[in-house]
Amino acid sequence: MDIFQNLALGAEIAFSLEGLLFCFVGVLVGTFVGVLPGIGPLAAISLALPMTYYLSPPVALIMLAGIFYGAQYGGSIAAILLNLPGTASAAVTCLDGNQLTKQGRAGVALFTAAIASFIGGIVAIFMVLGFTPVIASFAMGFGPVDYFSIMLLGLVAASTLSVGSPLKGMAMVIVGIALGLVGTDETSGALRFTFGALALADGISLVALAMGLFGVGEILANLGQESHTPPKASGLTFKSMMPKPAEWHGLLKTMLRSSGIGTFVGALPGSGPAIAAFMSYAAEKKLAKNPEKLGQGELRGVAAPESANNAAVQAAFIPTLSLGIPGDAVMAVLLGAMILHGITPGPMLITSNPEMFWGLVVSFGVGNIMLLILNVPLIRLWVRMLSIPYHMLYPAMLFFICIGVYSVRSSVFDIYTALFFGVIGYFLIRLRYPAAPLLLGFILGPMMEVHFRRALLMSRGDYMTFFESVPSTAFLILSMLFLLLPIWTMLRKRSARVRRSREADRSF
Amino acid sequence: MTRPINGLQLGAALLLGLLGLYIIWQGSSYDIGSLRRMGPGFFPIMVGSVLLLFSVLLAAEQWRTEKEQDFWIPRPILMISAGFVAFAALLERTGLVPATLALVMLVSLSEKPVRPLAAIATAVCLSVLGVSVFIYGLGIPVAAIRW
């Protein structure tokens, strides 16, 4: 297959009227939710899910992906101006970005963030183009055993790499798998955990679950918290946004390096854009000649996390599209959306639905250019968005959640489902249980069960079958390492504490 | 160094344990089958057991956690629940517009101070938007207003 032929096929989708329109809608909505603190891309993508029922699958995916990377552009705006990360992945950008604002150089910071995001996006596109088909063809020979093991690896990595307690992450994955059990058993057709409700025979609605956990739950957590004072857009002229020529020096290198880190981290299962941003900032600090300057308003400190998080978001499509294994919760929702549209994710996807993969990749390019236009000349518009009062925003979001959940299958029951998981989602946030691994478990759980049963059926009940294939063995060993890693760091911390307290005793 | 028990975290761990037990109990009522040919009950029992294990570990972990702040927020939870229930109850009986008005008015009561004018304005805007986008645009099978 010729790559130019494929790109032409992709361009046909991405440059069609529908493709361009919904790519624009996606990046616009993405920037919007990215700008507003308190709504993340997950909530926005869940909100947009019902809309995709009216679109062709490739266009639907283009729009949902646009929301995800659009949010990375928008997230930096609130981070720089208000010291509030608009999305979790922009938290690192606050450090230097807000310092620059305090020095009256917000414009330069915003401009650098937009350019850095753009470069991160472009670098990641080439990586997606280069690696996805290769990995997919490697995975063609995967059997049920390998699939089970790689899904296990994805789940373990996602729960142990997330911020906070790895135990809580693991527990949430399992709760997610348990929720995935509800409904008709795929292999035998038996109804499980339906509580006699006919509405649960098809399982819990993905849209209702996601909107509850990430929409209603987040809104509840935001209510009653202090509001911020809106920033002024008046000082932002195009001239004030240009960095001085001397400042350009080394900035491009930082962006390229961070894009590389972001792509690599983003492609790993379980690590999202937030971790990528953090790692690139740490790398920048290690490499800098005067590391103490980072954190006091260096442009590099804005460029590094912004390149990395946008690169990571696009690289996250590599495992999703080549293996059918989502790296994080947003990818899991996108994967869920593909399944809802009757597309089987996996190594066959690129060959069976080439328009899907190539259309998406070309749309990344289109979307990043749109975002550059949205975020540099039109920046003042977004700054004004920050002054929308929350007391008008949250009723509107709740309305879209209600009508959106209902419209998927005209089911009133699903509105109650969304409410139920919304209240649970709120308590999870307060108790610091991460909800994203739950969603990952919910989507991967049923697939894992099918592969698990198939594998043991083929091996006539012999568990050793999981160690008879090379990829499967490798995935299982990696999973074990990920499980042992937090235990090891915990023990090391404890022994360090013991040592310190002993030394303290001695000094008395 | 002894820290007090974190009641909320312990409660959460216990709830997860109960959920695990329930899954095992309910799962064992389905056909378990054999390793060679698993029934629909096998995987749930596995999942429930792992959950039970993690709840024990989490119960042990709660001593290391800090206390939660602003945990109980009865007013927003109650008002949002009321709004959702009203929307769900009214949507198919009286149509989208009354359901939207009820939803927005009720959820607007979750925050103090209540701003009645802003709430009414939001409700009217969303009703218009809802009818034009969802009923005329996407064609969901619901009436705007049903008498």
Side-chain angles (χ1 to χ4, degrees):
Chain A
M1 271 229 249
D2 191 4
I3 186 159
F4 292 105
Q5 216 175 320
N6 284 324
L7 283 175
L9 175 72
E12 220 172 281
I13 306 281
F15 286 102
S16 68
L17 190 64
E18 207 194 5
L20 281 174
L21 179 67
F22 283 97
C23 184
F24 182 70
V25 171
V27 297
L28 195 72
V29 171
T31 315
F32 181 69
V33 299
V35 168
L36 297 173
I39 322 171
L42 247 176
I45 289 178
S46 325
L47 274 170
L49 266 184
M51 260 190 77
T52 63
Y53 285 90
Y54 303 92
L55 303 173
S56 70
V59 174
L61 201 62
I62 285 173
M63 182 181 78
L64 295 176
I67 296 178
F68 194 18
Y69 58 81
Q72 308 305 320
Y73 278 81
S76 60
I77 298 176
I80 290 168
L81 294 177
L82 296 173
N83 205 19
L84 278 174
T87 52
S89 49
V92 185
T93 313
C94 289
L95 299 173
D96 284 85
N98 194 245
Q99 282 298 325
L100 282 162
T101 302
K102 283 185 184 146
Q103 295 161 16
R105 308 193 59 215
V108 187
L110 289 169
F111 180 77
T112 309
I115 297 289
S117 295
F118 182 74
I119 290 185
I122 298 298
V123 168
I125 290 172
F126 284 105
M127 297 297 173
V128 173
L129 266 179
F131 282 107
T132 315
V134 179
I135 296 176
S137 63
F138 166 73
M140 283 294 193
F142 275 16
V145 181
D146 308 293
Y147 272 114
F148 175 81
S149 304
I150 197 173
M151 285 178 191
L152 188 72
L153 173 62
L155 289 180
V156 170
S159 47
T160 51
L161 286 181
S162 65
V163 198
S165 155
L167 271 182
K168 286 180 175 169
M170 286 303 295
M172 285 292 97
V173 163
I174 308 209
V175 172
I177 297 178
L179 291 174
L181 292 172
V182 175
T184 313
D185 172 32
E186 257 184 66
T187 319
S188 66
L191 287 177
R192 298 188 293 189
F193 301 98
T194 54
F195 308 96
L198 196 63
L200 285 175
D202 287 337
I204 295 169
S205 150
L206 166 69
V207 176
L209 177 70
M211 285 211 204
L213 285 177
F214 300 102
V216 183
E218 291 281 339
I219 290 172
L220 278 171
N222 282 328
L223 281 173
Q225 279 185 350
E226 280 171 58
S227 53
H228 54 79
T229 41
K232 287 196 180 71
S234 50
L236 283 176
T237 56
F238 192 69
K239 213 173 146 195
S240 81
M241 292 179 77
M242 280 297 153
K244 292 180 202 121
E247 287 176 324
W248 280 108
H249 181 72
L251 214 51
L252 189 69
K253 239 195 238 162
T254 296
M255 289 178 192
L256 288 174
R257 187 165 48 224
S258 306
S259 306
I261 296 174
T263 312
F264 180 72
V265 174
L268 292 178
S271 50
I275 296 173
F278 180 77
M279 282 183 61
S280 70
Y281 192 80
E284 215 48 41
K285 208 154 190 174
K286 276 232 170 79
L287 290 168
K289 278 186 213 116
N290 33 10
E292 71 283 355
K293 268 197 157 176
L294 273 167
Q296 299 176 355
E298 280 276 289
L299 282 181
R300 266 184 309 172
V302 174
E306 283 305 310
S307 282
N309 66 22
N310 200 34
V313 160
Q314 267 143 24
F317 280 91
I318 297 175
T320 312
L321 294 176
S322 63
L323 303 170
I325 310 294
D328 67 358
V330 180
M331 283 298 130
V333 173
L334 288 180
L335 202 73
M338 280 156 75
I339 298 172
L340 291 176
H341 282 101
I343 289 158
T344 325
M348 296 297 289
L349 179 84
I350 300 178
T351 25
S352 65
N353 297 69
E355 77 289 349
M356 192 106 184
F357 173 72
W358 297 101
L360 188 67
V361 174
V362 176
S363 88
F364 284 171
V366 177
N368 271 291
I369 293 169
M370 286 178 178
L371 279 164
L372 199 60
I373 299 169
L374 282 175
N375 278 275
V376 178
L378 298 177
I379 185 75
R380 293 171 63 171
L381 188 79
W382 299 111
V383 177
R384 255 187 226 122
M385 291 286 171
L386 281 172
S387 50
I388 298 181
Y390 198 65
H391 64 85
M392 299 188 83
L393 198 61
Y394 81 84
M397 280 166 60
L398 289 170
F399 165 73
F400 284 116
I401 290 171
C402 280
I403 188 76
V405 166
Y406 174 81
S407 70
V408 174
R409 48 184 190 191
S410 298
S411 156
V412 170
F413 181 87
D414 287 350
I415 301 177
Y416 293 115
T417 310
L419 174 64
F420 176 75
F421 285 111
V423 176
I424 290 192
Y426 165 73
F427 287 120
L428 291 179
I429 293 172
R430 278 288 173 271
L431 290 167
R432 294 186 295 271
Y433 276 82
L438 188 156
L439 201 67
L440 211 51
F442 176 75
I443 288 169
L444 285 182
M447 292 195 253
M448 273 177 89
E449 182 182 2
V450 169
H451 288 299
F452 183 70
R453 283 160 80 166
R454 215 177 274 164
L456 283 176
L457 191 69
M458 279 157 69
S459 75
R460 297 161 189 255
D462 181 8
Y463 276 116
M464 287 317 285
T465 179
F466 289 105
F467 293 97
E468 273 158 18
S469 124
V470 176
S472 168
T473 312
F475 298 143
L476 287 177
I477 290 174
L478 275 173
S479 311
M480 278 311 286
L481 287 178
F482 271 118
L483 276 177
L484 294 176
L485 193 73
I487 300 174
W488 184 67
T489 47
M490 213 165 74
L491 288 177
R492 208 179 48 165
K493 252 189 224 157
R494 182 165 297 170
S495 69
R497 203 162 48 212
V498 170
R499 210 177 307 131
R500 236 180 294 134
S501 65
R502 274 204 200 122
E503 274 162 21
D505 286 343
R506 223 172 288 150
S507 66
F508 273 112
Chain B
M1 191 177 70
T2 46
R3 276 204 205 167
I5 290 176
N6 185 329
L8 288 174
Q9 294 286 351
L10 186 63
L14 288 179
L15 271 178
L16 285 176
L18 283 178
L19 181 65
L21 282 176
Y22 168 75
I23 295 169
I24 297 172
W25 174 73
Q26 180 76 35
S28 55
S29 73
Y30 308 128
D31 177 26
I32 297 167
S34 63
L35 260 187
R36 224 175 244 223
R37 192 170 285 274
M38 272 174 241
F42 192 96
F43 200 69
I45 292 177
M46 230 168 80
V47 170
S49 314
V50 181
L51 188 58
L52 197 60
L53 171 76
F54 272 100
S55 82
V56 174
L57 294 175
L58 281 166
E61 194 195 41
Q62 55 87 14
W63 270 284
R64 304 197 302 125
T65 53
E66 283 154 42
K67 234 180 137 27
E68 288 70 36
Q69 282 170 352
D70 311 318
F71 186 74
W72 294 110
I73 46 163
R75 190 183 165 119
I77 292 179
L78 223 80
M79 284 307 149
I80 288 184
S81 302
F84 269 60
V85 171
F87 186 87
L90 291 174
L91 183 63
E92 289 183 343
R93 291 201 187 93
T94 61
L96 181 61
V97 173
T100 307
L101 293 178
L103 170 76
V104 175
M105 296 315 234
L106 282 168
V107 301
S108 293
L109 297 175
S110 359
E111 259 191 328
K112 272 189 259 184
V114 177
R115 300 176 179 82
L117 279 179
I120 292 169
T122 314
V124 171
C125 288
L126 287 175
S127 300
V128 173
L129 192 75
V131 172
S132 53
V133 171
F134 287 93
I135 295 183
Y136 291 110
L138 300 176
I140 62 165
V142 173
I145 298 180
R146 178 178 292 161
W147 298 105

